[in-house]
Amino acid sequence: MSHANVFRATFQRELKLLARQKADWVNPLLFFIIILTLFPLGVGAKPNLLREIAPGVIWIAALLSVLLGAERQFRQDYRDGVLEQLVSARSPLVGYSLAKIAAGWLGSGLPLILVSPLLALFLGLSTEALTAVVLTLLLGTPLLSLLSALGAALTLSADKGGILLALIILPLYIPLLIFASAAVEQASFGLNYQAQLAVLAAMLCVALALVPLAVQKALKLNVG
Amino acid sequence: MFKWLDPYAKPQVLFATLLWWQRWLMPLSIVVLLLGTVWGLGFTPADYQQGDSYRIIHVHVPAAIWSMGVYAWMAIAAFIALVWQVKTAQWAIGAIAPIGAVYTLIALFTGAAWGKPMWGTWWVWDARLTSELILLFLFLGVMALQNAFADRQTGDKAAAVLAVVGVVNLPIIHYSVEWWNTLHQGATITKFAKPSMDPSMLWPLLICILGFALLFGALTCLRLRTAILQHEAHRPWVRQYVQEQQHATV
Amino acid sequence: MNPRRKQRLLAVSGILVLLSGGVGAMLYALNENVDLFYTPSQLIDGLGEDKKKPVVGQRLRIGGMVVKGSVRRDEHSLKVSFDLVDTGPVVTVHYDGILPDLFREGQGIVAQGTLLDATTIQATEVLAKHDENYMPPEVAEAVKGIKHVAPKQTYPAGTP
């Protein structure tokens, strides 16, 4: 089987799963919204303060909610032997990993982008800042999905998967967090932020090129 | 091309080689480090701008350079482990990672102690400092990942993948002071041109850098030997070696 | 070409395209001002090709040399103001707090704060930047013509 065939088959199956197990994408989304409601309550609902901390808060909430679903990404396929079948049949795992990552993004990244206009109300963001939030989420959430897939694949057969996954993946999120929240902050001052977007795009390109290979390697060594 | 390296993939051969290296690396590193730090901290002239505070450079810079150097060596070992499936290279990752974590910690702490009097702050979130902190997290992540599996070999391999992925951080650390306007000053001695340091200060610094390298080598030999003994505990040669050691001490 | 080879070729070229795209985007980003850092002349004349100027009230960082004789201290508080210069224009920085040891006239510093008007900054933090040159005082005097001055000697006359 070629990569494209494996990709198509896996992707279709994942879409079906997303359609049937709605909790998989609804829960991280609710988590994201609830974290964002907690902040105004926790730090006090002063509009200026909220506007100032909004970029960081949105992005921390986004990466935590993506991380939340990450652990389960390959777990089911590992438990019921799908992965083992794929490895022993020598079918191309890169296609499989890419399909998993793409579906993972549809389940955890895209909903965040769709609800982001709601944030404008919660955190008192201006239209410019909201545009920047949407743009950085568009470039950044695929990167989050790629990295969390890598973490999930690496810790697949580990004893304490969940917390370990967070420990090894959160540091890799740091550059993304820095540039994404800087872009939103720039936008809220009415400055242009193409440079930050370009950095995000660069990180996404490099990750897209290399992470699927690393995920494939990690899956193999956890199964083999 | 690398055929001559093949015998060293064998644990027993490597063990003996490491023992030989360790025997002269360990004392040498201590002598060189003592010479470098005593000269650097005690007998160099004060800086025209920073007075005596700059002396911490003799610990800070070697630790920082070798925190990256150690990571590079760990990544090379990881790469060998992944591509050629060499067992001893897998064990080397675990032997090297804690040394790198400690070097990175030393670099961060001495950096903070230097930053307080000179810049006026212990810590700034500038590119150089942040990327060095990520390096520490990477070392810790590799160590955590390696110990997280019931099957030790899976842990070794997973740590190898993470170590190779983390290499992207090395150029970021090195070029951070050129790409961004950081508070951290630029490179002093890795410039291709003449180093921007007076020879009376440069020599002890170079000796310290050499000392940190030798110490890294000595500690790696020691730790890798321990790892070999642990992994090969069921082999006859290990038993024989342990017995010999016991006879020697009795 | 057999399908397997073709697939491999596709994969390798895909990776190369992505990597070069990444490098290209990074190079573009490095030409822009990513970290809100300005020098006094950039602050006044604008930055980059399109001469962008920061807006009043914006947070920014500024780096420059402290102008000789421009440090004015308030006698009863920690308030201090000084001028920064790089190649021409002068920017005034107001600060309320303790200055680092290395702060002195002629020294390069980095201040973080908000822009009050076109040439004034209210700093929340003032940090001293030193360069990567290290030399004993005698050598510095010979090479650069700089005399080593202990920090406390830079206080203007009249203050304790």
Side-chain angles (χ1 to χ4, degrees), chain A residues 25-86:
Chain A
W25 58 271
V26 172
N27 289 359
L29 183 62
L30 283 178
F31 177 79
F32 179 66
I33 297 173
I34 289 173
I35 288 197
L36 288 176
T37 7
L38 291 182
F39 264 93
L41 302 175
V43 299
K46 302 170 211 91
N48 280 333
L49 177 66
L50 281 183
R51 221 166 293 150
E52 219 167 274
I53 63 168
V57 169
I58 292 168
W59 264 95
I60 290 176
L63 55 90
L64 287 180
S65 82
V66 170
L67 195 67
L68 193 68
E71 198 202 341
R72 288 197 320 278
Q73 195 155 26
F74 299 106
R75 190 56 44 105
Q76 196 58 41
D77 285 359
Y78 175 66
R79 289 227 176 105
D80 61 19
V82 170
L83 265 173
E84 212 161 337
Q85 293 285 330
L86 282 171

Short mmCIF file of all heavy atoms in Angstrom, two decimals, chain A residues 25-86:
data_model
loop_
_atom_site.label_atom_id
_atom_site.label_comp_id
_atom_site.label_asym_id
_atom_site.label_seq_id
_atom_site.Cartn_x
_atom_site.Cartn_y
_atom_site.Cartn_z
N TRP A 25 -13.81 15.81 20.73
CA TRP A 25 -13.48 17.19 20.35
C TRP A 25 -14.27 18.22 21.14
O TRP A 25 -13.87 19.37 21.24
CB TRP A 25 -13.63 17.40 18.84
CG TRP A 25 -14.98 17.10 18.28
CD1 TRP A 25 -15.41 15.89 17.82
CD2 TRP A 25 -16.07 18.00 18.11
NE1 TRP A 25 -16.71 15.97 17.40
CE2 TRP A 25 -17.14 17.26 17.54
CE3 TRP A 25 -16.25 19.36 18.38
CZ2 TRP A 25 -18.36 17.83 17.26
CZ3 TRP A 25 -17.47 19.93 18.08
CH2 TRP A 25 -18.52 19.18 17.53
N VAL A 26 -15.39 17.80 21.73
CA VAL A 26 -16.18 18.77 22.51
C VAL A 26 -15.48 19.07 23.84
O VAL A 26 -15.38 20.22 24.26
CB VAL A 26 -17.61 18.26 22.74
CG1 VAL A 26 -18.35 19.17 23.71
CG2 VAL A 26 -18.36 18.19 21.42
N ASN A 27 -14.94 18.04 24.49
CA ASN A 27 -14.36 18.23 25.81
C ASN A 27 -13.15 19.18 25.83
O ASN A 27 -13.12 20.10 26.64
CB ASN A 27 -13.98 16.89 26.43
CG ASN A 27 -15.22 16.11 26.84
OD1 ASN A 27 -16.33 16.60 26.67
ND2 ASN A 27 -15.03 14.92 27.36
N PRO A 28 -12.16 18.99 24.92
CA PRO A 28 -11.06 19.96 24.93
C PRO A 28 -11.53 21.39 24.67
O PRO A 28 -11.01 22.35 25.25
CB PRO A 28 -10.16 19.48 23.78
CG PRO A 28 -10.46 18.04 23.64
CD PRO A 28 -11.90 17.89 23.99
N LEU A 29 -12.57 21.50 23.82
CA LEU A 29 -13.09 22.82 23.50
C LEU A 29 -13.71 23.47 24.74
O LEU A 29 -13.46 24.64 25.04
CB LEU A 29 -14.14 22.68 22.39
CG LEU A 29 -14.77 23.96 21.88
CD1 LEU A 29 -13.69 24.83 21.26
CD2 LEU A 29 -15.85 23.65 20.86
N LEU A 30 -14.50 22.68 25.46
CA LEU A 30 -15.11 23.19 26.70
C LEU A 30 -14.03 23.59 27.70
O LEU A 30 -14.11 24.62 28.36
CB LEU A 30 -16.03 22.14 27.32
CG LEU A 30 -17.38 21.98 26.63
CD1 LEU A 30 -18.18 20.87 27.29
CD2 LEU A 30 -18.15 23.29 26.70
N PHE A 31 -13.01 22.74 27.80
CA PHE A 31 -11.87 23.01 28.68
C PHE A 31 -11.26 24.38 28.34
O PHE A 31 -11.01 25.20 29.22
CB PHE A 31 -10.85 21.89 28.50
CG PHE A 31 -9.58 22.05 29.29
CD1 PHE A 31 -9.54 21.74 30.64
CD2 PHE A 31 -8.42 22.50 28.68
CE1 PHE A 31 -8.37 21.88 31.36
CE2 PHE A 31 -7.25 22.64 29.39
CZ PHE A 31 -7.23 22.33 30.73
N PHE A 32 -11.04 24.61 27.06
CA PHE A 32 -10.47 25.87 26.57
C PHE A 32 -11.34 27.05 27.01
O PHE A 32 -10.85 28.04 27.57
CB PHE A 32 -10.40 25.79 25.04
CG PHE A 32 -9.87 27.01 24.35
CD1 PHE A 32 -8.55 27.40 24.52
CD2 PHE A 32 -10.68 27.76 23.51
CE1 PHE A 32 -8.05 28.50 23.86
CE2 PHE A 32 -10.18 28.86 22.85
CZ PHE A 32 -8.86 29.24 23.02
N ILE A 33 -12.65 26.92 26.77
CA ILE A 33 -13.56 28.03 27.11
C ILE A 33 -13.59 28.25 28.63
O ILE A 33 -13.55 29.39 29.10
CB ILE A 33 -14.98 27.75 26.58
CG1 ILE A 33 -14.94 27.68 25.05
CG2 ILE A 33 -15.95 28.82 27.02
CD1 ILE A 33 -16.21 27.25 24.41
N ILE A 34 -13.59 27.15 29.39
CA ILE A 34 -13.68 27.30 30.85
C ILE A 34 -12.42 27.96 31.42
O ILE A 34 -12.49 28.85 32.26
CB ILE A 34 -13.94 25.93 31.51
CG1 ILE A 34 -15.36 25.48 31.20
CG2 ILE A 34 -13.76 26.01 33.02
CD1 ILE A 34 -15.69 24.09 31.65
N ILE A 35 -11.24 27.56 30.90
CA ILE A 35 -10.00 28.21 31.36
C ILE A 35 -10.08 29.71 31.12
O ILE A 35 -9.73 30.53 31.96
CB ILE A 35 -8.77 27.63 30.65
CG1 ILE A 35 -8.49 26.24 31.16
CG2 ILE A 35 -7.55 28.51 30.90
CD1 ILE A 35 -7.12 25.75 30.85
N LEU A 36 -10.58 30.07 29.94
CA LEU A 36 -10.66 31.50 29.61
C LEU A 36 -11.68 32.23 30.49
O LEU A 36 -11.55 33.43 30.71
CB LEU A 36 -11.02 31.67 28.14
CG LEU A 36 -9.87 31.30 27.20
CD1 LEU A 36 -10.31 31.41 25.76
CD2 LEU A 36 -8.68 32.22 27.43
N THR A 37 -12.69 31.53 30.97
CA THR A 37 -13.62 32.19 31.90
C THR A 37 -13.00 32.31 33.28
O THR A 37 -13.31 33.22 34.03
CB THR A 37 -14.92 31.38 32.07
OG1 THR A 37 -14.78 30.15 31.40
CG2 THR A 37 -16.12 32.12 31.54
N LEU A 38 -12.11 31.37 33.62
CA LEU A 38 -11.50 31.40 34.95
C LEU A 38 -10.61 32.63 35.13
O LEU A 38 -10.53 33.20 36.20
CB LEU A 38 -10.68 30.14 35.19
CG LEU A 38 -11.47 28.84 35.35
CD1 LEU A 38 -10.52 27.69 35.64
CD2 LEU A 38 -12.49 28.96 36.45
N PHE A 39 -9.92 33.02 34.05
CA PHE A 39 -8.94 34.10 34.19
C PHE A 39 -9.55 35.42 34.63
O PHE A 39 -9.08 36.01 35.61
CB PHE A 39 -8.12 34.26 32.91
CG PHE A 39 -6.83 33.53 33.00
CD1 PHE A 39 -6.71 32.24 32.54
CD2 PHE A 39 -5.73 34.13 33.59
CE1 PHE A 39 -5.52 31.56 32.66
CE2 PHE A 39 -4.54 33.45 33.71
CZ PHE A 39 -4.43 32.16 33.24
N PRO A 40 -10.62 35.90 33.96
CA PRO A 40 -11.21 37.16 34.44
C PRO A 40 -11.67 37.04 35.90
O PRO A 40 -11.55 37.99 36.67
CB PRO A 40 -12.40 37.35 33.51
CG PRO A 40 -12.07 36.58 32.31
CD PRO A 40 -11.25 35.42 32.76
N LEU A 41 -12.17 35.86 36.30
CA LEU A 41 -12.62 35.68 37.67
C LEU A 41 -11.44 35.66 38.62
O LEU A 41 -11.50 36.18 39.73
CB LEU A 41 -13.42 34.38 37.78
CG LEU A 41 -14.64 34.30 36.87
CD1 LEU A 41 -15.29 32.94 36.96
CD2 LEU A 41 -15.63 35.40 37.22
N GLY A 42 -10.34 35.04 38.19
CA GLY A 42 -9.19 34.90 39.07
C GLY A 42 -8.38 36.17 39.25
O GLY A 42 -7.99 36.51 40.36
N VAL A 43 -8.12 36.88 38.16
CA VAL A 43 -7.26 38.05 38.28
C VAL A 43 -8.07 39.33 38.44
O VAL A 43 -7.50 40.41 38.61
CB VAL A 43 -6.30 38.20 37.07
CG1 VAL A 43 -5.41 37.01 36.95
CG2 VAL A 43 -7.08 38.42 35.80
N GLY A 44 -9.38 39.23 38.40
CA GLY A 44 -10.21 40.43 38.52
C GLY A 44 -10.54 40.96 37.15
O GLY A 44 -9.68 41.01 36.27
N ALA A 45 -11.80 41.34 36.97
CA ALA A 45 -12.26 41.68 35.62
C ALA A 45 -11.96 43.14 35.27
O ALA A 45 -12.85 43.90 34.91
CB ALA A 45 -13.75 41.39 35.49
N LYS A 46 -10.68 43.55 35.40
CA LYS A 46 -10.34 44.91 34.98
C LYS A 46 -10.03 44.89 33.49
O LYS A 46 -9.09 44.20 33.07
CB LYS A 46 -9.12 45.40 35.76
CG LYS A 46 -9.32 45.38 37.25
CD LYS A 46 -8.00 45.63 37.97
CE LYS A 46 -7.94 44.94 39.30
NZ LYS A 46 -7.38 43.60 39.29
N PRO A 47 -10.80 45.65 32.70
CA PRO A 47 -10.67 45.53 31.24
C PRO A 47 -9.24 45.74 30.75
O PRO A 47 -8.78 45.00 29.88
CB PRO A 47 -11.60 46.63 30.72
CG PRO A 47 -12.54 46.90 31.83
CD PRO A 47 -11.82 46.60 33.10
N ASN A 48 -8.52 46.73 31.31
CA ASN A 48 -7.17 47.00 30.81
C ASN A 48 -6.22 45.84 31.08
O ASN A 48 -5.44 45.43 30.23
CB ASN A 48 -6.60 48.26 31.45
CG ASN A 48 -7.15 49.49 30.78
OD1 ASN A 48 -7.50 49.43 29.60
ND2 ASN A 48 -7.25 50.57 31.52
N LEU A 49 -6.34 45.32 32.33
CA LEU A 49 -5.47 44.21 32.70
C LEU A 49 -5.76 42.99 31.81
O LEU A 49 -4.84 42.35 31.28
CB LEU A 49 -5.72 43.85 34.17
CG LEU A 49 -4.94 42.65 34.68
CD1 LEU A 49 -3.45 42.98 34.70
CD2 LEU A 49 -5.39 42.26 36.08
N LEU A 50 -7.06 42.72 31.62
CA LEU A 50 -7.44 41.57 30.79
C LEU A 50 -6.87 41.71 29.39
O LEU A 50 -6.32 40.76 28.83
CB LEU A 50 -8.96 41.45 30.72
CG LEU A 50 -9.62 40.82 31.92
CD1 LEU A 50 -11.11 40.71 31.69
CD2 LEU A 50 -9.02 39.44 32.16
N ARG A 51 -7.00 42.91 28.82
CA ARG A 51 -6.52 43.12 27.46
C ARG A 51 -5.02 42.89 27.41
O ARG A 51 -4.50 42.38 26.44
CB ARG A 51 -6.86 44.54 27.01
CG ARG A 51 -7.34 44.62 25.59
CD ARG A 51 -7.97 45.97 25.31
NE ARG A 51 -9.22 46.14 26.06
CZ ARG A 51 -9.65 47.33 26.48
NH1 ARG A 51 -8.94 48.42 26.28
NH2 ARG A 51 -10.80 47.42 27.13
N GLU A 52 -4.32 43.27 28.49
CA GLU A 52 -2.87 43.12 28.50
C GLU A 52 -2.45 41.66 28.57
O GLU A 52 -1.51 41.24 27.91
CB GLU A 52 -2.29 43.88 29.69
CG GLU A 52 -1.00 44.59 29.38
CD GLU A 52 -0.66 45.56 30.49
OE1 GLU A 52 -1.14 46.71 30.46
OE2 GLU A 52 0.08 45.15 31.38
N ILE A 53 -3.16 40.88 29.41
CA ILE A 53 -2.72 39.49 29.56
C ILE A 53 -3.37 38.56 28.55
O ILE A 53 -2.99 37.39 28.44
CB ILE A 53 -2.98 38.96 30.99
CG1 ILE A 53 -4.46 38.94 31.30
CG2 ILE A 53 -2.21 39.73 32.02
CD1 ILE A 53 -4.78 38.18 32.56
N ALA A 54 -4.35 39.07 27.79
CA ALA A 54 -5.11 38.21 26.87
C ALA A 54 -4.25 37.34 25.95
O ALA A 54 -4.48 36.13 25.87
CB ALA A 54 -6.09 39.04 26.07
N PRO A 55 -3.21 37.90 25.27
CA PRO A 55 -2.47 37.07 24.32
C PRO A 55 -1.88 35.82 24.98
O PRO A 55 -2.05 34.71 24.47
CB PRO A 55 -1.34 37.99 23.84
CG PRO A 55 -1.80 39.36 24.11
CD PRO A 55 -2.71 39.28 25.28
N GLY A 56 -1.25 36.02 26.13
CA GLY A 56 -0.63 34.89 26.82
C GLY A 56 -1.68 33.90 27.29
O GLY A 56 -1.51 32.68 27.13
N VAL A 57 -2.78 34.42 27.86
CA VAL A 57 -3.82 33.55 28.41
C VAL A 57 -4.42 32.67 27.32
O VAL A 57 -4.55 31.45 27.47
CB VAL A 57 -4.91 34.39 29.08
CG1 VAL A 57 -6.11 33.54 29.42
CG2 VAL A 57 -4.36 35.06 30.32
N ILE A 58 -4.77 33.30 26.19
CA ILE A 58 -5.38 32.53 25.09
C ILE A 58 -4.46 31.41 24.65
O ILE A 58 -4.86 30.26 24.49
CB ILE A 58 -5.67 33.46 23.90
CG1 ILE A 58 -6.76 34.46 24.26
CG2 ILE A 58 -6.07 32.65 22.69
CD1 ILE A 58 -6.90 35.57 23.26
N TRP A 59 -3.18 31.75 24.52
CA TRP A 59 -2.27 30.75 23.99
C TRP A 59 -1.96 29.64 24.99
O TRP A 59 -1.84 28.48 24.62
CB TRP A 59 -0.99 31.41 23.45
CG TRP A 59 -1.19 31.58 21.99
CD1 TRP A 59 -1.64 32.70 21.36
CD2 TRP A 59 -1.06 30.57 21.01
NE1 TRP A 59 -1.80 32.44 20.03
CE2 TRP A 59 -1.45 31.15 19.78
CE3 TRP A 59 -0.67 29.24 21.02
CZ2 TRP A 59 -1.43 30.43 18.59
CZ3 TRP A 59 -0.66 28.52 19.84
CH2 TRP A 59 -1.04 29.12 18.64
N ILE A 60 -1.88 30.00 26.26
CA ILE A 60 -1.65 28.94 27.25
C ILE A 60 -2.86 28.02 27.31
O ILE A 60 -2.73 26.78 27.33
CB ILE A 60 -1.34 29.56 28.63
CG1 ILE A 60 0.05 30.20 28.59
CG2 ILE A 60 -1.36 28.49 29.71
CD1 ILE A 60 0.44 30.92 29.84
N ALA A 61 -4.06 28.62 27.27
CA ALA A 61 -5.27 27.79 27.27
C ALA A 61 -5.30 26.88 26.05
O ALA A 61 -5.63 25.69 26.15
CB ALA A 61 -6.51 28.68 27.30
N ALA A 62 -4.90 27.44 24.89
CA ALA A 62 -4.93 26.64 23.66
C ALA A 62 -3.98 25.47 23.76
O ALA A 62 -4.33 24.32 23.45
CB ALA A 62 -4.57 27.51 22.46
N LEU A 63 -2.75 25.72 24.25
CA LEU A 63 -1.82 24.60 24.24
C LEU A 63 -2.13 23.56 25.32
O LEU A 63 -1.91 22.37 25.11
CB LEU A 63 -0.35 25.04 24.24
CG LEU A 63 0.27 25.96 25.24
CD1 LEU A 63 0.82 25.13 26.38
CD2 LEU A 63 1.41 26.69 24.58
N LEU A 64 -2.75 24.01 26.41
CA LEU A 64 -3.16 23.01 27.40
C LEU A 64 -4.30 22.15 26.87
O LEU A 64 -4.32 20.93 27.09
CB LEU A 64 -3.59 23.69 28.71
CG LEU A 64 -2.47 24.27 29.55
CD1 LEU A 64 -3.02 24.91 30.81
CD2 LEU A 64 -1.45 23.19 29.91
N SER A 65 -5.24 22.78 26.15
CA SER A 65 -6.37 21.98 25.70
C SER A 65 -5.96 21.01 24.59
O SER A 65 -6.49 19.90 24.50
CB SER A 65 -7.54 22.87 25.27
OG SER A 65 -7.37 23.32 23.98
N VAL A 66 -4.98 21.40 23.76
CA VAL A 66 -4.48 20.46 22.76
C VAL A 66 -3.75 19.31 23.45
O VAL A 66 -3.89 18.13 23.10
CB VAL A 66 -3.56 21.15 21.74
CG1 VAL A 66 -2.86 20.13 20.86
CG2 VAL A 66 -4.36 22.11 20.87
N LEU A 67 -2.98 19.67 24.49
CA LEU A 67 -2.22 18.65 25.22
C LEU A 67 -3.14 17.64 25.90
O LEU A 67 -2.83 16.46 26.01
CB LEU A 67 -1.36 19.36 26.27
CG LEU A 67 -0.25 18.56 26.91
CD1 LEU A 67 0.81 18.26 25.88
CD2 LEU A 67 0.35 19.33 28.06
N LEU A 68 -4.31 18.16 26.31
CA LEU A 68 -5.26 17.32 27.04
C LEU A 68 -5.69 16.11 26.22
O LEU A 68 -5.79 14.99 26.75
CB LEU A 68 -6.49 18.17 27.39
CG LEU A 68 -7.45 17.62 28.40
CD1 LEU A 68 -6.79 17.58 29.76
CD2 LEU A 68 -8.69 18.52 28.47
N GLY A 69 -5.94 16.34 24.93
CA GLY A 69 -6.41 15.24 24.10
C GLY A 69 -5.27 14.41 23.53
O GLY A 69 -5.50 13.33 22.98
N ALA A 70 -4.03 14.93 23.67
CA ALA A 70 -2.91 14.31 22.95
C ALA A 70 -2.64 12.89 23.40
O ALA A 70 -2.36 12.01 22.58
CB ALA A 70 -1.66 15.16 23.15
N GLU A 71 -2.77 12.65 24.70
CA GLU A 71 -2.36 11.36 25.22
C GLU A 71 -3.13 10.21 24.56
O GLU A 71 -2.60 9.12 24.36
CB GLU A 71 -2.55 11.33 26.74
CG GLU A 71 -1.77 10.23 27.41
CD GLU A 71 -2.36 9.87 28.76
OE1 GLU A 71 -3.12 10.67 29.31
OE2 GLU A 71 -2.04 8.77 29.23
N ARG A 72 -4.42 10.49 24.25
CA ARG A 72 -5.25 9.42 23.71
C ARG A 72 -5.05 9.20 22.21
O ARG A 72 -5.65 8.31 21.64
CB ARG A 72 -6.72 9.72 24.00
CG ARG A 72 -7.10 9.56 25.46
CD ARG A 72 -8.59 9.46 25.59
NE ARG A 72 -9.25 10.39 24.68
CZ ARG A 72 -9.43 11.69 24.96
NH1 ARG A 72 -9.02 12.17 26.09
NH2 ARG A 72 -10.03 12.48 24.10
N GLN A 73 -4.22 10.05 21.59
CA GLN A 73 -4.16 10.04 20.13
C GLN A 73 -3.85 8.67 19.53
O GLN A 73 -4.52 8.23 18.61
CB GLN A 73 -3.13 11.07 19.66
CG GLN A 73 -3.27 11.36 18.19
CD GLN A 73 -2.74 12.71 17.84
OE1 GLN A 73 -1.87 13.26 18.50
NE2 GLN A 73 -3.25 13.29 16.77
N PHE A 74 -2.83 7.99 20.06
CA PHE A 74 -2.49 6.68 19.51
C PHE A 74 -2.87 5.54 20.47
O PHE A 74 -2.66 4.38 20.15
CB PHE A 74 -0.99 6.60 19.22
CG PHE A 74 -0.53 7.61 18.21
CD1 PHE A 74 0.19 8.72 18.60
CD2 PHE A 74 -0.82 7.45 16.87
CE1 PHE A 74 0.61 9.65 17.68
CE2 PHE A 74 -0.40 8.36 15.93
CZ PHE A 74 0.32 9.48 16.34
N ARG A 75 -3.35 5.90 21.67
CA ARG A 75 -3.56 4.91 22.71
C ARG A 75 -4.49 3.78 22.27
O ARG A 75 -4.19 2.60 22.41
CB ARG A 75 -4.10 5.64 23.96
CG ARG A 75 -4.20 4.93 25.27
CD ARG A 75 -2.96 4.29 25.84
NE ARG A 75 -1.69 5.00 25.83
CZ ARG A 75 -1.14 5.55 26.89
NH1 ARG A 75 -1.73 5.58 28.03
NH2 ARG A 75 0.05 6.08 26.80
N GLN A 76 -5.65 4.17 21.66
CA GLN A 76 -6.64 3.16 21.27
C GLN A 76 -6.05 2.20 20.23
O GLN A 76 -6.17 0.98 20.37
CB GLN A 76 -7.88 3.86 20.73
CG GLN A 76 -9.11 2.98 20.63
CD GLN A 76 -9.49 2.40 21.99
OE1 GLN A 76 -9.42 3.09 23.00
NE2 GLN A 76 -9.83 1.12 22.03
N ASP A 77 -5.39 2.78 19.23
CA ASP A 77 -4.81 1.94 18.17
C ASP A 77 -3.71 1.05 18.71
O ASP A 77 -3.43 -0.03 18.17
CB ASP A 77 -4.23 2.82 17.05
CG ASP A 77 -5.33 3.40 16.20
OD1 ASP A 77 -6.50 3.09 16.49
OD2 ASP A 77 -5.03 4.16 15.26
N TYR A 78 -3.05 1.51 19.78
CA TYR A 78 -1.98 0.71 20.38
C TYR A 78 -2.58 -0.46 21.15
O TYR A 78 -2.16 -1.60 21.03
CB TYR A 78 -1.16 1.60 21.31
CG TYR A 78 -0.09 0.90 22.10
CD1 TYR A 78 1.00 0.33 21.46
CD2 TYR A 78 -0.18 0.80 23.49
CE1 TYR A 78 1.98 -0.31 22.17
CE2 TYR A 78 0.80 0.16 24.20
CZ TYR A 78 1.88 -0.39 23.55
OH TYR A 78 2.85 -1.03 24.27
N ARG A 79 -3.65 -0.17 21.92
CA ARG A 79 -4.26 -1.19 22.76
C ARG A 79 -4.91 -2.29 21.94
O ARG A 79 -4.75 -3.46 22.24
CB ARG A 79 -5.33 -0.56 23.67
CG ARG A 79 -4.72 0.30 24.75
CD ARG A 79 -5.34 0.00 26.09
NE ARG A 79 -4.66 0.77 27.13
CZ ARG A 79 -5.19 1.84 27.70
NH1 ARG A 79 -6.40 2.24 27.39
NH2 ARG A 79 -4.51 2.51 28.61
N ASP A 80 -5.68 -1.89 20.89
CA ASP A 80 -6.41 -2.94 20.16
C ASP A 80 -5.59 -3.56 19.03
O ASP A 80 -6.12 -4.33 18.24
CB ASP A 80 -7.78 -2.44 19.69
CG ASP A 80 -7.65 -1.25 18.76
OD1 ASP A 80 -6.57 -1.06 18.21
OD2 ASP A 80 -8.64 -0.53 18.60
N GLY A 81 -4.29 -3.21 18.95
CA GLY A 81 -3.44 -3.94 18.04
C GLY A 81 -3.38 -3.42 16.61
O GLY A 81 -2.71 -4.02 15.77
N VAL A 82 -4.07 -2.31 16.32
CA VAL A 82 -4.02 -1.76 14.97
C VAL A 82 -2.59 -1.40 14.59
O VAL A 82 -2.10 -1.72 13.51
CB VAL A 82 -4.93 -0.51 14.87
CG1 VAL A 82 -4.70 0.21 13.55
CG2 VAL A 82 -6.38 -0.89 15.01
N LEU A 83 -1.90 -0.75 15.55
CA LEU A 83 -0.53 -0.32 15.27
C LEU A 83 0.38 -1.51 14.99
O LEU A 83 1.21 -1.49 14.08
CB LEU A 83 0.01 0.48 16.46
CG LEU A 83 -0.14 1.99 16.35
CD1 LEU A 83 0.26 2.64 17.63
CD2 LEU A 83 0.71 2.50 15.21
N GLU A 84 0.19 -2.54 15.80
CA GLU A 84 1.03 -3.71 15.63
C GLU A 84 0.84 -4.32 14.24
O GLU A 84 1.80 -4.70 13.57
CB GLU A 84 0.70 -4.73 16.71
CG GLU A 84 1.89 -5.54 17.13
CD GLU A 84 1.65 -6.20 18.49
OE1 GLU A 84 0.79 -5.70 19.25
OE2 GLU A 84 2.29 -7.20 18.76
N GLN A 85 -0.44 -4.35 13.83
CA GLN A 85 -0.75 -4.87 12.49
C GLN A 85 -0.04 -4.03 11.43
O GLN A 85 0.57 -4.57 10.51
CB GLN A 85 -2.26 -4.81 12.25
CG GLN A 85 -3.08 -5.74 13.10
CD GLN A 85 -2.95 -7.17 12.63
OE1 GLN A 85 -2.74 -7.42 11.46
NE2 GLN A 85 -3.03 -8.11 13.56
N LEU A 86 -0.15 -2.73 11.58
CA LEU A 86 0.46 -1.83 10.59
C LEU A 86 1.97 -2.04 10.52
O LEU A 86 2.55 -2.09 9.44
CB LEU A 86 0.16 -0.37 10.94
CG LEU A 86 -1.23 0.15 10.60
CD1 LEU A 86 -1.45 1.52 11.21
CD2 LEU A 86 -1.41 0.20 9.09
#
